[in-house]
Amino acid sequence: MIGLGKWSCSVDTMMFRGDAILTVADNGGAYEITAEVPGMTMPEYAVSNITEDGDTLTAIVTTPLLSGKELPISLTFDSDTFTGFAKVPLLGKIKFKNGKRIS
């Protein structure tokens, strides 16, 4: 399994600018990805269809805030760093910048 651990990254959109923490965990042989933003309450969300291809994880995020919409995400890991993005309706491709392992 790739990318297991806690990761910090910067997010910069017209709606939010700051740091996010992603956790990639092994849940009985299946990947589990969670996100948090320090100092903010995250809206309800679910991460599904997590797949591994080489050094990249892809997944689909859904949230009641965007009912009926799927938000594809991609995370590419390289040792203790990562890059990635999420495709969000109306906002487009949101890049995860300066991704680094924090634990």
Side-chain angles (χ1 to χ4, degrees):
M1 298 187 92
I2 61 168
L4 297 179
K6 265 192 170 179
W7 302 83
S8 174
C9 65
S10 299
V11 179
D12 187 2
T13 72
M14 61 186 193
M15 307 280 287
F16 171 78
R17 178 178 292 148
D19 294 329
I21 297 173
L22 303 177
T23 302
V24 179
D26 176 352
N27 185 3
Y31 282 103
E32 182 175 90
I33 300 174
T34 57
E36 60 184 288
V37 176
M40 286 185 64
T41 301
M42 292 287 293
E44 181 182 334
Y45 69 93
V47 181
S48 61
N49 299 335
I50 303 170
T51 59
E52 177 184 328
D53 183 15
D55 58 358
T56 300
L57 293 178
T58 58
I60 299 295
V61 177
T62 55
T63 176
L65 291 177
L66 297 169
S67 183
K69 302 290 184 190
E70 293 184 340
L71 291 72
I73 64 168
S74 177
L75 307 170
T76 301
F77 299 92
D78 182 14
S79 187
D80 289 333
T81 63
F82 84 96
T83 57
F85 64 86
K87 291 183 181 177
V88 180
L90 304 175
L91 295 178
K93 187 185 251 186
I94 297 173
K95 293 181 181 179
F96 305 133
K97 300 177 183 177
N98 306 314
K100 61 185 175 197
R101 183 185 303 273
I102 56 176
S103 70

